Structure formats: C-alpha cells, structure tokens
Amino acid sequence: MALPAKQETVVETPLQQERPAHNEMLFYGMGFFGIILIWTMVGTFLTFYYTDVVGISAGVVGTLMLVARLLDGFTDVGMGALVDRTKSKYGKARPWILWLAIPFAVSGVLLFSVPELSTTGKIVYAYVTYFLLILMYTAISIPYKTLLGLMTQDQKGRTLVNVYTGVFTLLATILVMTLAQPIASSIGGNLGWTVVAFGIGVIIIVNCLLAFSKTKERVDIETTAQPKEKIPFKTEFKALLSNKYWVIITLYCVIAYTLNALLSGAGIFYAQYILGSAGYFSLIALTLFLPTIVGFFFVGRLIARFGKRNIAIFVTCVAAFGSVIKLIDPNNLSIFLIGNTVQGFALLPIITFLYAMINDTTEYGEWKSGFRTAGLVNSAASFGMKVGAGIGGALIGWLLAFGGYVGTLAEQSASAEMMILVLNIYLPLFLTILQLIFLWMYKLDKLYPTIVAEINERKALK
C-alpha cells in the first residue's frame, strides 16, 4: 500500500515575520521613485516629443503606443514566472534590480534621443527603442513589486511599505509633469529632452542600487509554500471568466487607465495650442493631482466608514463635473485649471485603492470555484490596465491625425484644435460616465464579509 504523501510543515520564522525598519521602507520607496520618473516621462511627454520635436506623424505614434503597451501586458506574465525561478545569493527579486538598473536607465535615455534620420529611420528607431524600454521596464518593475512580498509576511509591515511607495510614486509623477517640460524647453530642441532623460537615468541608477543594497528578502518561498493540488490553467482561466466582479473591475481598469493616459498625455497639446503656451502644462499637471495629494490623508478613514466602491462612485461623480466646468470657456486658463482639479478626483481610486478592489475579487472567485487564482487575477487585471494605457496613447495619436494635426506647425487647423478639445474634455467626460456604470455594477463590498466567513467555514470543515 502506498504511503500518504508527506505534508510539509510550515514554520513561520521570526525573520519571515520581521517588519522592515523605516529606513528600509524608505529606500524601497526611493527605488520605485526612480522607476516611476521615466515611466511618467513616457506616458506624459513621449507622444509630444515624437510629434512636435522629432516630427513623426501622430497616426504612426498612436499605433506605436498601442502595439507597445499590448506587448508590455504579455511580458508581465513571462517575467513573473522568471522571477519565481530565479535562485541567487541575493534572493529572487533583488538581483534583477541590480542587473537591470543601468540597462533600464540607458533605455530611457535612448528613447528620448532620436537622431537626425529619414522619416522611416526615425520610425524604426522609435519602435526599437520603445520596445527596448518596455522590456527593461517589465524586467525591473515586476521583480520590484515582487520584492514587497519577500521583504516580510507581516501585514502591517507591507501596508507601511505601500504607503512609502505611494508617496514616492505621487512625488515622482508630479515632479516629472511639472518640471520636465520647462527644463527641456529652456535647453531647447531634441537636446533638452535628452538631458532631462539623462538626469532621470542617473537618479534611476543611484536609487535602484541603494534599494538593492538596503533591502532584504526575508520570506523563503521554497520552504513556506504549502503543497497543493495543481489546477490546470484552462480550469483556472474558465473560473476567472466566470468571476463577474473580476470582469467588471478589469473593464473598469481599461476605462480608468485610458482616461489616465488622456489626462496625462493630451494636456500638453491643450496647453500649447488652446491655451497658448506649453509652459502652462506644469500648472495643469499640478492641479490634476491635487485631489489625490489631499485624499492621501483621508481616504483610509473614509473607506473604513463608507467602503471602497462607494468612495469610488462619489469621487467619480465629482470628477464628471470637471469636463462641464471646462466647457464654460475652453480658452480660459483659470476655468480650465478649476475643471482640471475637479476632474482629478477620478484618479484617486486608481492611485490609492484600485489594487485592493482587484484583490477582493480573488475571494469571490474562491467562493464560487473552490480554489484561488490570486496570481491570475492580478496579472490579468494588470494586462487590462496596460491595454487601457495603450488605448489612451493610441487615441491621442489617432485623433490628432484624424484632425490633421502636424506637430512641426506653430498653429494648428480648426479641425486639429477640435480634436485636442475632444481628447481633453469630451472624451474624458464619456469615459468618466463609463467608469460610473462599471462601479455601480461592482457590488462586492457588501458581499465580501459574508463570502470570507463562508470560505473560512469551508476550510474549518476540511
């Protein structure tokens, strides 16, 4: 008679439960600060750089944005599997930060250094360097996010690290969106953007090396993982598609990140051609993130009282009025900034608690199917986010091209200016309404306590 399989005993060592010190959390956040600097540069200014500085047509840029982001979504899953299989004296995730710091920084500089070539040559260079940046970003960001789970198993410790990461993410986003264009403009031309990218590259290298040297992997996955029955991928994927709240929140992710891409990437065209100066974009960027800056201090308590879904619905309703305010006088800077501030409320859920809503759907899926698909839930939702970002970037390029936009002209045609208004006012209003529809359908907050209780009861009976 065959002996029963030996079950591995999980022993939680003090090291695995140790909470990282605040200076370690600080260095972790600093490393992510460098990564977000270049990613914000790409999302905010790359379309403008290609069309107005390099001279590539808006339609070509739009297609590039979509193709590259789709590639980015697919590479996430592969990189995650690679990190899981990594074995080194530095751990699983940390070595990738060491290995990729310089290549990632160099890829960012190359991206904003398009040489004087023929039109075809510039397009080829743009495709090659953008794909390279995408691959380098995935190769360093996936291990960096994985490192969070390897630093500690203490829930409060992970929460505190997330707070540091959120603060540095917001800081990096605001700094790039407010300072990059003025610095590049003061230097002038292609060189200005290359200098800005080079400065960011130096910060990336220094901060990533500090994060590598000052953080520690405490959780040994090989010894703590519980043996479990392997579920076929086909079964997991079928269960995922039957998880209605995952479907709803993923569609919300696509819409939210499309909107985020429009608000971040189309604003500089509005500043340049509708308001009269690209220099106004710094103010546009700052006002867009004001609600999130203020919200950081209150969102935790508000969620505890009203729930994530209800807070998301409320701030999205508020954000819808931003476009309405802008329509009062689209050419007035003060009115536009007021509307932009109101519109910024739509970003609050994205930055502060969207991942929590995504992960809540894991329990709903387990409740329905009997097994968890946490990794699949997050990687698939991440793919939805990147599809949304790709659609947003593509829409900027395609609609500008449809309106006859030519980046090398000092003044644009009436049809091109109309497309800039569509990208900054009309389309965001439409997307905000779609967000509200999906949030209204997401009713998991009320069901969640009961679902968790039933899952625990099932486990107790086994």
Side-chain angles (χ1 to χ4, degrees), residues 181-348:
Q181 190 279 329
I183 293 173
S185 180
S186 65
I187 298 172
N190 198 345
L191 177 62
W193 292 98
T194 303
V195 170
V196 172
F198 180 81
I200 290 176
V202 172
I203 294 172
I204 288 172
I205 294 171
V206 172
N207 285 21
C208 283
L209 293 181
L210 282 172
F212 164 77
S213 63
K214 299 296 184 180
T215 56
K216 182 189 295 184
E217 291 187 18
R218 296 171 175 81
V219 180
D220 187 350
I221 296 176
E222 302 299 334
T223 60
T224 61
Q226 284 275 20
K228 62 179 181 179
E229 180 185 354
K230 186 170 179 62
I231 309 294
F233 177 79
K234 182 179 179 180
T235 303
E236 288 186 333
F237 191 69
K238 184 178 179 180
L240 184 69
L241 294 180
S242 67
N243 185 334
K244 67 177 181 180
Y245 290 116
W246 174 84
V247 173
I248 291 169
I249 203 63
T250 299
L251 291 173
Y252 171 82
C253 286
V254 173
I255 301 301
Y257 275 79
T258 300
L259 175 61
N260 184 46
L262 291 179
L263 294 178
S264 300
I268 192 166
F269 295 97
Y270 199 96
Q272 176 74 37
Y273 297 105
I274 306 299
L275 299 176
S277 172
Y280 290 143
F281 181 72
S282 296
L283 292 173
I284 292 173
L286 184 59
T287 54
L288 185 63
F289 285 94
L290 275 178
T292 301
I293 296 172
V294 176
F296 259 118
F297 299 98
F298 304 102
V299 70
R301 282 174 288 178
L302 291 172
I303 288 174
R305 182 172 180 180
F306 300 106
K308 296 184 288 291
R309 178 250 194 183
N310 291 336
I311 295 299
I313 287 177
F314 175 77
V315 296
T316 306
C317 283
V318 173
F321 288 98
S323 295
V324 177
I325 293 171
K326 290 178 180 180
L327 285 172
I328 295 173
D329 186 353
N331 297 291
N332 185 292
L333 175 62
S334 298
I335 291 176
F336 186 87
L337 293 178
I338 293 171
N340 210 51
T341 303
V342 175
Q343 208 163 30
F345 277 93
L347 301 181
L348 187 62

Side-chain angles (χ1 to χ4, degrees), residues 10-20 149-154 158 217-221 223-224:
V10 179
V11 179
E12 293 184 347
T13 66
L15 182 61
Q16 291 165 357
Q17 287 296 315
E18 176 188 343
R19 184 182 302 178
L150 299 176
M151 288 169 64
T152 181
Q153 287 182 320
D154 179 70
R158 287 181 179 177
E217 291 187 18
R218 296 171 175 81
V219 180
D220 187 350
I221 296 176
T223 60
T224 61

Side-chain angles (χ1 to χ4, degrees), residues 22-45:
H22 283 282
N23 65 329
E24 184 177 349
M25 298 180 190
L26 178 67
F27 282 113
Y28 179 86
M30 286 174 60
F32 210 65
F33 172 81
I35 295 172
I36 294 299
L37 282 176
I38 193 63
W39 199 241
T40 305
M41 271 282 287
V42 171
T44 306
F45 296 110

